[in-house]
Amino acid sequence: MNYRHIYHAGNFADVLKHAVLARLIRYMQKKDGAFRVLDTHAGIGLYDLSSEETQKTGEWLEGIGKLMEAELGPQVSELLEPYLWAIRELNPEGGIRFYPGSPKLARMLFRPQDRLSAMELHPEDFIRLHRLFEGDHHARITELDGWLALGAHLPPKEKRGIVLVDPPFEEEDEYQRLAEGLEKAYRRFPGGTYCLWYPLKKGAPIKEFHESLQALDIPKMLCAELVVRSDRGTTGLTGSGLVIVNPPFTLKDELHQLLPALKDHLAQDRFASHRAFWLRGENKAIKDDS
């Protein structure tokens, strides 16, 4: 395993993923009962954007760097508030030096009764993640292949939960593996809310991936995609997508507000676009203003 998220922390893909994760957490907290966030590919949890690794790529400058300086309308500001609050809390002197990965973001947004299970396979990253949460009884950190967690760690004892699956996509078959992993996990925990991240880039089998998800016996799957630049002349990441299984009933309308704003502020060229639609369930697509 060679992927290290520190090179990409805070980029446009993280912004979309973490903004939606924060919304899912806030929705779960509308009920008093405890829930668990299961993060299958957790990384190191907290990123120093002044580090040599992040400075080498500078991807955060085109992501959270732009968003924190953007003038957001009141509705979008309200939706992004949990996510941006966490970043401000980590940077009390202003600016953006520290950026929360998904396990740290979730933990910062928790109530006393909420819990975290975070898996990381990379040995060095696991050590850093474990140190970050050492002594925190709300968090269980495990050195484990995140794909195995979709069987071994479901269902959670709380019987409510968010399962975030954000694989590194180092292998060509990981789109199919993501669909197969969801199928296995859903059989064990059909009441969970799942958030699956996937990359958009030239030649990616997105149509086939969506079709494999549509073939599953899962009633409701909502898809959101954000593209920030053209894929002409590059084989790199040009956009990212999320598939949300059992989405909150409010999420459709929230994406209708969030996606256009993210596209406007994070666009890298005139080919930026967004779309959101039901893969399974309600057949009415969210308007695409791209």
Side-chain angles (χ1 to χ4, degrees):
M1 183 177 179
N2 299 311
Y3 179 84
R4 306 291 298 281
H5 190 68
I6 192 169
Y7 291 98
H8 313 287
N11 68 1
F12 71 86
D14 264 4
V15 169
L16 174 63
K17 175 178 61 180
H18 292 150
V20 171
L21 175 61
R23 298 310 310 158
L24 295 177
I25 289 171
R26 282 293 183 251
Y27 183 82
M28 295 290 285
Q29 291 171 340
K30 290 182 179 294
K31 294 183 178 180
D32 292 335
F35 68 91
R36 184 173 294 270
V37 170
L38 175 63
D39 191 338
T40 64
H41 299 77
I44 65 175
L46 182 64
Y47 299 91
D48 185 346
L49 299 182
S50 68
S51 68
E52 180 180 350
E53 294 92 341
T54 54
Q55 291 294 314
K56 184 175 181 179
T57 61
E59 290 187 16
W60 70 274
L61 294 169
E62 296 287 340
I64 191 58
K66 281 186 174 180
L67 188 65
M68 292 296 284
E69 296 178 354
E71 294 186 10
L72 304 170
Q75 290 179 312
V76 173
S77 294
E78 182 178 356
L79 293 174
L80 289 174
E81 178 56 26
Y83 168 47
L84 299 183
W85 167 85
I87 297 170
R88 291 192 296 268
E89 283 290 299
L90 291 171
N91 299 278
E93 297 181 359
I96 315 170
R97 177 179 175 183
F98 296 106
Y99 183 81
S102 48
K104 179 65 173 178
L105 174 64
R107 181 65 185 92
M108 292 180 73
L109 295 177
F110 278 175
R111 306 164 301 177
Q113 64 266 44
D114 303 327
R115 295 294 184 268
L116 169 71
S117 291
M119 286 57 187
E120 178 52 47
L121 182 61
H122 194 288
E124 294 177 26
D125 288 358
F126 166 73
I127 290 172
R128 295 179 67 175
L129 182 68
H130 188 269
R131 287 175 180 168
L132 180 65
F133 290 102
E134 193 168 9
D136 187 344
H137 300 297
H138 291 77
R140 181 196 305 167
I141 311 302
T142 307
E143 188 173 7
L144 182 70
D145 183 344
W147 295 112
L148 300 178
L150 294 176
H153 289 259
L154 292 176
K157 66 179 182 179
E158 294 83 3
K159 306 303 181 185
R160 302 177 65 225
I162 299 168
V163 181
L164 176 65
V165 188
D166 178 19
F169 280 85
E170 291 183 309
E171 306 294 335
E172 292 184 1
D173 67 345
E174 288 208 83
Y175 290 94
Q176 186 59 35
R177 194 177 189 186
L178 189 55
E180 293 171 355
L182 172 61
E183 182 179 26
K184 177 175 68 174
Y186 188 83
R187 285 199 301 265
R188 295 181 63 89
F189 186 35
T193 295
Y194 296 81
C195 186
L196 316 178
W197 181 88
Y198 60 94
L200 298 174
K201 53 186 178 180
K202 191 171 185 178
I206 303 303
K207 182 175 182 293
E208 293 80 3
F209 173 55
H210 287 170
E211 289 174 347
S212 66
L213 292 173
Q214 289 171 328
L216 302 179
D217 188 20
I218 297 177
K220 284 195 174 184
M221 286 188 280
L222 183 64
C223 184
E225 292 183 346
L226 175 67
V227 175
V228 298
R229 61 190 175 110
S230 169
D231 62 8
R232 299 173 186 173
T234 181
T235 58
L237 189 71
T238 58
S240 72
L242 296 172
V243 173
I244 303 97
V245 174
N246 294 330
F249 75 94
T250 56
L251 188 60
K252 180 183 72 170
D253 291 336
E254 291 178 358
L255 287 173
H256 183 55
Q257 300 293 326
L258 282 174
L259 286 175
L262 293 181
K263 186 208 77 170
D264 289 345
H265 293 297
L266 304 184
Q268 297 179 19
D269 66 24
R270 64 186 180 88
F271 296 101
S273 64
H274 66 86
R275 63 174 183 157
F277 55 94
W278 291 97
L279 282 170
R280 288 287 302 269
E282 299 182 28
N283 293 319
K284 186 177 180 181
I286 299 173
K287 183 180 179 182
D288 182 348
D289 293 324
S290 60

